Amino acid sequence: VFYKSEEIFINEQEKTMNFVYAVSIFLRILHVLVVAPPTEEIGRDTLKEIRRTANLMQLIAIVEQVPCLSCHVAAKLLRLMNYVIRYVVHYGTVGDVSKPKLQNLKLLSDYTTRYAESMVHLLKLTKDRVLDPSEQILGLEMCRFMSTLVSAAPLLFSVADNPEVKKECVAECVEWLVEDVCLRLFIGMVLYDLQMDVGGGSRGTISRQFVRQAYHKCGLKD
């Protein structure tokens, strides 16, 4: 599942460009339009279009056509959607911002879960190897996104007159959205961070490469 293909041209003679760069550029443009839009109206319209279920499904399908680690496309998608959901969580009761859609959260949860099993497998091998920067970034964005997704769950239910019912609904929803493999990923990322702090599996002979990789380790426990 985890491999890269970042050659600029797939066929140099025909000048056929690698599709992953088009996907990466598209995600960067969307990120700019929601994080630093030219006008507030453009920002709201972009958020509205991204949150349409049909558009979100198409966006996920486009990203899945290329290797997930190439140009950090999977991590870029998760960071983009992390911002979109956080915006809804913070401003969900202001203006025309609607509540998060359960079907959208499930789509993104399933997308994250598809890569979680492979990431957990890589973390089991870290006694003999360290995660490269692209793997670390993807793991970090997966954990960060799932944390934001869980924070959005209470907004799905409005049972103001019965908090116990709402609490039960939120618990069931979180259990449905966050599968066991994601929990193993969270634990694995924290243990990997601690392992790197004490020199990994090479405490006696720490190589130059290990030190370089350790510099890229940031924010895992956060």
Side-chain angles (χ1 to χ4, degrees):
V1 176
F2 290 159
Y3 68 97
K4 294 182 183 179
S5 176
E6 296 184 347
E7 296 82 5
I8 296 178
F9 294 104
I10 297 177
N11 189 321
E12 293 187 6
Q13 294 180 348
E14 297 181 0
K15 303 301 181 184
T16 304
M17 189 173 181
N18 194 336
F19 183 57
V20 69
Y21 287 99
V23 176
S24 177
I25 292 170
F26 180 54
L27 291 172
R28 282 180 176 270
I29 292 172
L30 289 179
H31 188 266
V32 170
L33 289 177
V34 299
V35 175
T39 65
E40 290 186 8
E41 183 179 2
I42 291 176
R44 288 195 300 269
D45 288 345
T46 304
L47 284 168
K48 184 178 179 180
E49 290 301 320
I50 292 176
R51 294 183 63 226
R52 293 182 186 275
T53 303
N55 292 343
L56 178 58
M57 291 175 66
Q58 291 179 346
L59 182 58
I60 293 174
I62 290 173
V63 174
E64 288 188 326
Q65 291 184 42
V66 298
C68 64
L69 294 181
S70 299
C71 299
H72 305 293
V73 290
K76 286 175 180 175
L77 174 62
L78 291 175
R79 178 170 293 190
L80 170 66
M81 298 313 302
N82 182 53
Y83 181 86
V84 171
I85 294 176
R86 280 196 295 113
Y87 184 90
V88 175
V89 170
H90 292 163
Y91 303 101
T93 58
V94 179
D96 59 352
V97 179
S98 60
K99 294 180 180 180
K101 299 178 181 179
L102 180 58
Q103 60 266 39
N104 289 357
L105 298 184
K106 182 57 176 175
L107 280 171
L108 292 165
S109 172
D110 289 345
Y111 175 78
T112 306
T113 302
R114 284 197 288 273
Y115 294 116
E117 191 68 54
S118 298
M119 182 62 71
V120 169
H121 176 70
L122 286 180
L123 289 169
K124 292 179 181 179
L125 303 176
T126 52
K127 183 177 180 180
D128 303 314
R129 67 182 291 274
V130 294
L131 300 180
D132 66 31
S134 59
E135 293 166 347
Q136 290 187 36
I137 290 172
L138 178 57
L140 175 60
E141 291 299 334
M142 291 168 68
C143 294
R144 183 177 291 160
F145 171 77
M146 293 304 290
S147 175
T148 302
L149 182 144
V150 170
S151 69
L155 297 179
L156 297 169
F157 308 97
S158 55
V159 193
D161 57 337
N162 197 328
E164 289 300 321
V165 172
K166 180 176 181 178
K167 182 179 179 180
E168 185 67 23
C169 290
V170 171
E172 290 292 332
C173 180
V174 170
E175 186 175 352
W176 182 56
L177 291 173
V178 184
E179 298 190 18
D180 292 344
V181 65
C182 293
L183 298 178
R184 295 199 300 271
L185 172 63
F186 303 153
I187 296 171
M189 292 298 287
V190 172
L191 293 178
Y192 176 76
D193 187 87
L194 296 173
Q195 179 179 317
M196 292 286 281
D197 287 342
V198 297
S202 307
R203 299 178 184 85
T205 57
I206 296 178
S207 65
R208 188 182 299 271
Q209 181 184 4
F210 181 90
V211 176
R212 289 199 187 100
Q213 296 287 59
Y215 278 117
H216 292 283
K217 177 188 70 65
C218 59
L220 300 183
K221 288 194 291 288
D222 297 339

